[in-house]
Structure formats: C-alpha cells, structure tokens
Amino acid sequence: MIYLQISEEKYEYDIRGLLMAFYPHEEIEKHPWDTPAQNACEESAPCPQKISRENIPHPQKTNHTSLAVPAPWRRRLRVFYGSSQASLSLSIRTETNGRASLIDLTETAVCEPAQTSQAKSALKRALYRLLQKDTQKTLPWGTLTGIRPTKIAMHLLEQGQTEKEIASYMEQEYLASEEKIRLSLEIACREKQILQGIDYTNGYSLYIGIPFCPTTCLYCSFTSYPFSRYAAQADAYLAAVEQELAWTAKAFRGKTLNTIYFGGGTPTTLEASQLDRLLCFVEQHFDLSNLKELTVEAGRPDSITKEKLRALKQHNISRISINPQTMKQETLDLIGRRHSAAQIREAFGLARESGFNNINMDLILGLPGETIDDVRKTMEELKQLRPDSITVHSLAIKRAARLNQFWEQYAHLSMENSDQTMAVAAAAARELGLFPYYLYRQKNMAGNLENVGYAAPGKEGIYNILIMEEKQTIVAVGAGSMSKRVYPDGRIERRENVKDVNQYIERIGEMIERKRVLLSD
C-alpha cells in the first residue's frame, strides 16, 4: 500500500497518475495532512530504524516491492506546498532479518503560485525523479500521464517551432523518451497534413451511439448492453436517436458536416432493416455534400451478415471496422468475445467481397495470459488478411470493466505489455504499408504505453484524429454519448447523455435540451 499525504489537493490527480504508472499494482490510500503516518511500531514489526540518504542500499539489491513487511504500508509519500516550492519525501519500509527500516528519499520543486502549468510540470518532474530513485525504472512517456502527446507536438508545430525544438522541449519538460518523442512528431506531422481540408470554424462532426453488442467483453467499459435483452426496445431507441438527430440537423443547418461515426457498442448488432432506417434518416436530414468520411463500427464479427453489409454499402459507408482484438482462440474465449478466430477471417472476407476497400482492425495488447509470441502470431494472421488500417491498443482496465470488478478471478494471469510487444505490432503494420497517424493514451494502460492507429495513405480515420486533437465540435447522439463543443479560443465544454437505454428513451427531451444549452450561441 502507498500512504499518500498532500498539504494541498490541487495536483492530487497528477500525483496519483504518476504513482499508478510507477506502481501499477499498488493500492493508494490518501490520509489527511495533519494525521501522522501510521508507524511500524504500531504493528508487530520492530520499531524501524532510520537510514540516512547517503547510506541508502542500492534499490536493485534491496528490491523493496518483494519484501513481506507486516505493516499496513510499504511506501509513504508526503507532498508539502510552501510559498515558492514543494517538498516531496518518500519513505520506503524494508525488513531485514525481522528488523524494519525506513529509507527516506527527498526532492524539491519550484512552484510559483502565479504559474500554475509550470508549477505542475516542475512538481511532476520532481516526483518522477523521486519515484525513479526508488524503482530504478523509467517511463516511456516520462511525466505525461493522461495527456495526448501528439496534441502537444501539433500545437508547437502550428506555432512554427521546428521538429528539433519540439523534441528538445518534450524531453526537458516531460522527460519523455527519444523513441516516443519521435513517434509523436511523426504522427503530428501526418495529422497536420490529413486535417488540412477540415473546417474548424464552421464545421462539425457527428457521433451516433448504438449501445448494443452480442455480449459484453471482459475489458469493456463503454456503454454496451446485450442485444438479446434489448431487441424489443431497439425501434424505440432508434426513434429517440432520430429525435436528437432531427434537432441537430436543424440547429446546425448551414454548417459543414465533415465526418460521421457510428460507434457503440456494435452498430451492426442492429438488424439490416434498422441500419437502413437510421442511415436513410441521416441522408434525409443532413447535407452530406462536404462529408469526408462515414464510418460504421462492425467490430464484432458475429454481428456481420451479407444483408447488413449490403445495407451499409447501399449508403456509401466509406470505412468499417472489424475488430479481432486477438487471433488467439483461448483469449477470445476468456474475454467473452463468443466468436471464433475463423469467424473473424470469414467476416473480413465477406466485407471485401461486398466491396469495402477501407477496413480497420482493432487489436489489444496485454490481454490476460497473452505473450509476445501470441502477438506475433496475431500479426502474421493480419498480414494474410491485409486490412487497410490497424489500431493497436494497450490494455487499459477501467473501473466499469468486468475485468476490474472481478479482478481476483484473473489476478493469476499476466496482463503485461511492453515496448518490445508494441514494436512487434508496429513492425508488422509497416510491413503492410501502414503508417502511424493517430495516438492517444489512457489511465491504467498496460506498460504505461499508448494506443496507435496505423493506416495506408488515404485510409486514415479522420474522426479518430478530430476526437483526439479536439480541434472541432463533435455532436454526439445516443445513450452514453458525449458532445464536445470547441470554442475559437480553444476552450472546450462537454455534455453527456444518460447511459441507460430506457432512461435515454424516456428523457429524450432532456437530452435535446442539454444539447441546446451546450451548442446554441
């Protein structure tokens, strides 16, 4: 357990982010600043002796995390904010031959009150150095936790800075590795080129959420409900979505619609006639003359049929996604996908036969029990299929996921990702002629790594870039969806719809009013 005490709470989120990155399996327990840390003398362990900083045993020899210490905490982090600087101290409990000891590490950071962003960066760098001393490890993204690295690089490119200047800034400010800085810059340069024709001022994108799936995957935290239990409400749900769409079309008449994304859930869980109904409604109510992309998630191969693909093709869908996550059958069974690897191949072939020439495939690295050899085998299978884009995710376990809620059932399985595993996926993507075009990171990602989209030139997912770079207003309809308004000065405001399907249907008037408040001038 990590015992956390902070004299002020303004940077607690950032502190927790770094702690979780360095100690992914440790519980963090916060205590009030004025409560003295629980001493080892209170437990059965002998009273700890102090070890001076100069005489700290080498961490690789001490191996703190593997020691069985009978006290309630192994590490205590205290962060105190003064008038111009923050003081950080990390106490580490160790035990040798039944005798407990405390190792104290300290760092300071200049934190001028008037410079909030600089103060936060300085604090995170100091904390990073402190935790690095203890663990003897570095993080590939340095102090960047929960931040979109390419957004930083893109912003500096638009300001006219050179790639060399940006690389130097990201290394000094965020302590990021050379490899990750290079990846950020490559993607930012490609994003800038792809987005040249996008109207930020008078344009917008549209997200349509279909919160149904054949089954809910073990790692999933999205708004998703088994279609077998909600089939009777599907038409009523679509009627509610159509009300939101009708309001949006009227409110945004005269504006440029650049991209549409049908997500979920799995939209192709709907029947072919229901897909046709919804797409017809969109065509009747929106001006699609400036549309650059219309994507439909067909993520679950067990939701795909010839009839559904025919319905999508009739409406000029430009991009679909068929997501295996892995091609290892044992893992598919474990995570609740309820389909076979053979079905993935069949669904992909069916989509090609139906005329789709822009097919994405999602993968997740770090799934329970998977090894680097499993990833190699998955990538070999994808090379045979030759998708037009591959999105490589590093497993992120969120609170709402069943994998988190029933963690003890899966704790014996390895859920690790590494730079080496990501490199296997990246190399295979490049062999297919696919290049990285967007990137984002999440909390609790395996290996503290990232999600990267690779695509053939001209087959990139434009909506994916827009949602990550936050340069354009996105209007989202459907249960659990979130609209995002981007103001000319860069300010962003959000409004979320209720997640429950029945509540969404019953309260559709309220959902529309939420949009009116957010999006009306």
Side-chain angles (χ1 to χ4, degrees):
M1 177 184 291
I2 298 173
Y3 190 107
L4 177 62
Q5 291 181 293
I6 312 173
S7 65
E8 295 181 28
E9 296 185 0
K10 55 186 175 183
Y11 301 131
E12 181 185 346
Y13 177 85
D14 300 283
I15 290 169
R16 283 182 175 272
L18 270 179
L19 285 172
M20 290 162 61
F22 273 97
Y23 312 105
H25 304 302
E26 292 280 354
E27 182 182 349
I28 302 170
E29 188 175 287
K30 185 185 173 187
H31 290 262
W33 177 258
D34 58 356
T35 299
Q38 196 165 354
N39 195 289
C41 296
E42 298 171 1
E43 299 293 330
S44 58
C47 188
Q49 68 179 49
K50 284 281 186 176
I51 297 179
S52 69
R53 193 178 180 192
E54 290 73 21
N55 297 322
I56 296 172
H58 194 285
Q60 289 180 330
K61 294 180 180 178
T62 306
N63 192 12
H64 307 307
T65 57
S66 67
L67 293 175
V69 180
W73 58 269
R74 295 184 184 181
R75 292 175 179 83
R76 179 186 68 207
L77 175 65
R78 289 169 60 84
V79 182
F80 176 77
Y81 297 93
S83 58
S84 61
Q85 72 175 27
S87 301
L88 302 89
S89 65
L90 179 68
S91 298
I92 307 127
R93 290 181 52 86
T94 64
E95 184 179 291
T96 305
N97 297 325
R99 177 132 185 110
S101 301
L102 285 183
I103 298 172
D104 287 334
L105 306 176
T106 61
E107 282 285 344
T108 59
V110 176
C111 295
E112 295 292 341
Q115 299 177 326
T116 305
S117 60
Q118 292 92 331
K120 181 169 74 171
S121 293
L123 174 70
K124 292 181 74 173
R125 286 194 298 272
L127 179 58
Y128 183 95
R129 291 192 297 268
L130 191 67
L131 304 182
Q132 187 179 22
K133 289 178 189 176
D134 176 33
T135 63
Q136 291 293 293
K137 73 178 182 180
T138 59
L139 301 179
W141 288 102
T143 64
L144 286 167
T145 56
I147 297 175
R148 299 174 177 91
T150 54
K151 193 173 182 180
I152 297 168
M154 173 78 84
H155 176 69
L156 296 175
L157 282 172
E158 291 173 340
Q159 286 186 336
Q161 292 197 29
T162 66
E163 291 187 33
K164 186 176 180 180
E165 289 171 333
I166 297 169
S168 176
Y169 171 80
M170 292 184 72
E171 179 184 10
Q172 294 175 21
E173 185 75 3
Y174 302 111
L175 310 178
S177 69
E178 180 183 351
E179 177 194 359
K180 299 306 179 186
I181 293 171
R182 191 167 57 246
L183 179 62
S184 295
L185 280 167
E186 180 184 359
I187 291 173
C189 290
R190 190 164 285 119
E191 284 182 344
K192 188 178 178 185
Q193 182 179 10
I194 294 167
L195 297 181
Q196 281 180 345
I198 299 297
D199 185 348
Y200 298 147
T201 305
N202 196 50
Y204 73 105
S205 289
L206 179 63
Y207 175 87
I208 301 172
I210 308 298
F212 306 121
C213 267
T215 58
T216 301
C217 298
L218 189 65
Y219 53 79
C220 183
S221 61
F222 292 105
T223 304
S224 174
Y225 303 97
F227 190 67
S228 58
R229 285 171 33 201
Y230 284 85
Q233 288 112 303
D235 285 330
Y237 177 78
L238 292 182
V241 167
E242 287 167 353
Q243 288 185 57
E244 264 200 294
L245 287 171
W247 180 90
T248 302
K250 184 176 179 181
F252 279 71
R253 186 170 291 129
K255 294 188 178 292
T256 303
L257 179 55
N258 285 138
T259 72
I260 301 176
Y261 194 100
F262 285 79
T266 305
T268 45
T269 307
L270 295 173
E271 299 295 338
S273 60
Q274 293 168 328
L275 289 168
D276 179 68
R277 164 187 169 176
L278 191 53
L279 288 163
C280 283
F281 192 91
V282 169
E283 291 167 348
Q284 292 164 6
H285 287 77
F286 291 87
D287 178 4
L288 306 182
S289 58
N290 293 296
L291 196 67
K292 296 183 179 298
E293 174 183 278
L294 206 173
T295 297
V296 173
E297 285 273 359
R300 289 283 292 263
D302 47 342
S303 73
I304 296 172
T305 65
K306 279 186 179 180
E307 292 73 26
K308 293 178 186 181
L309 290 171
R310 189 180 304 119
L312 297 181
K313 196 63 184 171
Q314 287 173 349
H315 292 280
N316 299 314
I317 302 302
S318 58
R319 182 174 179 271
I320 64 172
S321 191
I322 299 172
N323 303 330
Q325 316 302 9
T326 177
M327 295 296 284
K328 183 178 179 181
Q329 189 60 54
E330 292 85 350
T331 307
L332 291 171
D333 295 338
L334 177 66
I335 63 179
R337 291 290 280 184
R338 304 283 179 87
H339 63 75
S340 66
Q343 281 178 284
I344 297 168
R345 292 186 284 268
E346 292 165 7
F348 189 92
L350 200 57
R352 283 290 197 227
E353 291 171 13
S354 300
F356 287 95
N357 62 3
N358 192 350
I359 305 175
N360 173 71
M361 302 189 88
D362 279 8
L363 299 176
I364 299 179
L365 306 189
L367 287 169
E370 290 234 330
T371 67
I372 192 169
D373 285 337
D374 294 323
V375 175
R376 286 194 184 97
K377 291 174 184 175
T378 290
M379 298 312 298
E380 287 302 317
E381 291 240 31
L382 264 61
K383 285 183 192 178
Q384 300 301 313
L385 295 174
R386 302 194 67 82
D388 306 285
S389 62
I390 298 173
T391 306
V392 179
H393 299 266
S394 187
L395 178 66
I397 306 173
K398 298 186 178 181
R399 282 180 297 179
R402 287 191 298 125
L403 186 55
N404 185 53
Q405 294 173 357
F406 303 101
W407 174 259
E408 64 280 356
Q409 297 179 26
Y410 309 98
H412 65 288
L413 295 171
S414 169
M415 282 176 271
E416 299 295 333
N417 195 13
S418 67
D419 274 326
Q420 291 75 23
T421 311
M422 294 292 285
V424 167
R430 290 184 187 270
E431 285 179 39
L432 286 166
L434 312 181
F435 302 95
Y437 77 94
Y438 95 111
L439 178 154
Y440 71 101
R441 305 185 65 231
Q442 299 168 276
K443 291 191 299 181
N444 304 333
M445 296 190 80
N448 196 242
L449 293 163
E450 65 279 337
N451 303 328
V452 183
Y454 299 86
K459 301 297 177 71
E460 302 88 356
I462 301 173
Y463 175 87
N464 290 335
I465 303 174
L466 290 171
I467 194 71
M468 289 302 147
E469 293 303 324
E470 298 182 317
K471 289 180 170 294
Q472 187 184 61
T473 292
I474 293 176
V475 184
V477 305
S481 66
M482 180 182 292
S483 295
K484 182 187 300 183
R485 181 173 183 176
V486 180
Y487 289 83
D489 62 0
R491 181 168 54 94
I492 297 170
E493 290 189 11
R494 299 169 174 83
R495 291 291 187 282
E496 187 175 11
N497 281 348
V498 293
K499 295 181 179 181
D500 181 81
V501 169
N502 293 320
Q503 284 289 305
Y504 171 79
I505 295 169
E506 293 171 10
R507 298 164 60 186
I508 187 60
E510 179 188 334
M511 301 305 102
I512 293 172
E513 178 61 16
R514 290 184 185 184
K515 278 187 174 48
R516 189 195 65 76
V517 172
L518 174 67
L519 300 169
S520 297
D521 292 324

